[in-house]
Amino acid sequence: MPELPEVETVRRGLSPAMEGVVIDQADVNRPDLRWPFPERMAERLTGQTVQKLRRRSKYILADLSSGETLLIHLGMSGRMTVSGDPLGQFVHEHPITQKHDHVVFHMANGARVTFNDPRRFGAMDLLQTATADDHKLLSVLGPEPLGNDFHEQHLIDAFRGKNTPIKSALLDQGIVAGLGNIYVCEALFRAGVSPRRKASQISATRVAALVPIIRKVLQDAIEAGGSSLRDFRQADGELGYFQHSFDVYGREGEPCRTDGCGAPIKRITQSGRSSFYCAQCQR
Ligand SMILES: [Zn+2]
């Protein structure tokens, strides 16, 4: 499942193909994904210039010249492919249409952007740009972890009286938007905080220390995504999935990488999801 850094990498990969460019034609090949598409979606997209391509949490937002914004969510298995436009040092040829190519954007610069989603947990919607923040998916979101509203005092206040494990508190999208399982595990490892510890029982100093760590974990991953775009060899021009090595995520039973530790990484289930951590380093 794509997390914030993957979505940001997709946004950056789409930007040269779409930003400032007219959508010559939009093909909408089915009535819905997770939810029904908005009415006359193809018509409302065709002929519009993509003025800006933004990201909020794990949503890509394309502001159109019509005053509407196209919201794109990749869901579990959604993939965006760019063809006919340079991606790093490569130009990928237009692929033959695949079975799950649900929406295709033919851009005026010759680029083609394809949204493919076999499991259809993804979503697209059209909203008024001026009131986009009020959309039901966006209004519930807390501050962006890389934005100015995510700061030490915000997290300290949010954790006060929060009797859930810190793992769940950080996954709460109302506290901080866009953090997912992988990067929460990684941030807690770097911070030396056990995922089992109750949010309200962690000292303000340790909570404050989490803020720059969360930012750094995400920035490191976005940087890895950026290098993947510069050197984009993937044959079909698919965006957003890149090689990235994790300290704890997916490393159950493997030795902790902290100097002098080497304890096996543990995996436990919390709220139905796996938490990976080092019981020696994280308290
Ligand atoms: Zn360790």
Side-chain angles (χ1 to χ4, degrees), residues 240-256:
Y241 295 85
F242 46 87
Q243 291 295 319
H244 192 47
S245 70
F246 301 114
D247 285 327
V248 287
Y249 186 82
R251 295 192 64 237
E252 183 183 12
E254 292 176 43
C256 171

Side-chain angles (χ1 to χ4, degrees), residues 38-193:
E39 279 175 36
R40 303 183 300 108
M41 183 165 97
E43 237 176 279
R44 286 157 75 182
L45 294 171
T46 298
Q48 301 304 324
T49 303
V50 177
Q51 290 179 329
K52 201 168 175 206
L53 210 55
R54 306 181 277 136
R55 179 189 55 74
R56 173 77 168 111
S57 181
K58 290 181 252 188
Y59 302 101
I60 293 169
L61 300 170
D63 294 337
L64 307 173
S65 45
S66 59
E68 291 193 301
T69 292
L70 173 68
L71 174 147
I72 303 170
H73 185 47
L74 301 173
M76 308 278 285
S77 57
R79 299 178 298 138
M80 301 289 275
T81 302
V82 173
S83 54
D85 191 63
L87 203 57
Q89 34 181 321
F90 299 91
V91 178
H92 299 280
E93 284 180 25
H94 293 318
I96 297 161
T97 304
Q98 304 289 314
K99 186 171 177 207
H100 303 290
D101 289 351
H102 303 312
V103 181
V104 183
F105 304 90
H106 303 267
M107 306 304 295
N109 58 1
R112 188 186 296 172
V113 174
T114 302
F115 183 85
N116 179 293
D117 186 4
R119 295 175 67 184
R120 301 204 303 268
F121 281 109
M124 284 194 197
D125 201 358
L126 278 165
L127 29 148
Q128 292 295 314
T129 307
T131 53
D133 290 344
D134 302 334
H135 188 271
K136 63 177 191 285
L137 295 173
L138 305 182
S139 63
V140 294
L141 297 173
E144 282 293 310
L146 297 173
N148 292 334
D149 293 338
F150 181 65
H151 47 67
E152 285 78 357
Q153 195 58 48
H154 166 77
L155 207 55
I156 291 166
D157 291 344
F159 283 1
R160 193 169 291 137
K162 194 96 186 159
N163 282 317
T164 55
I166 186 170
K167 171 79 186 305
S168 319
L170 288 174
L171 287 175
D172 180 342
Q173 301 297 296
I175 290 180
V176 52
L179 269 191
N181 202 32
I182 295 175
Y183 297 103
V184 169
C185 289
E186 293 296 302
L188 289 176
F189 172 74
R190 289 196 197 180
V193 175

Side-chain angles (χ1 to χ4, degrees), residues 189 256-258 261-263 265 278-282:
F189 172 74
C256 171
R257 288 178 179 144
T258 304
C261 178
I265 300 299
C278 173
Q280 291 296 320
C281 298
Q282 294 174 250

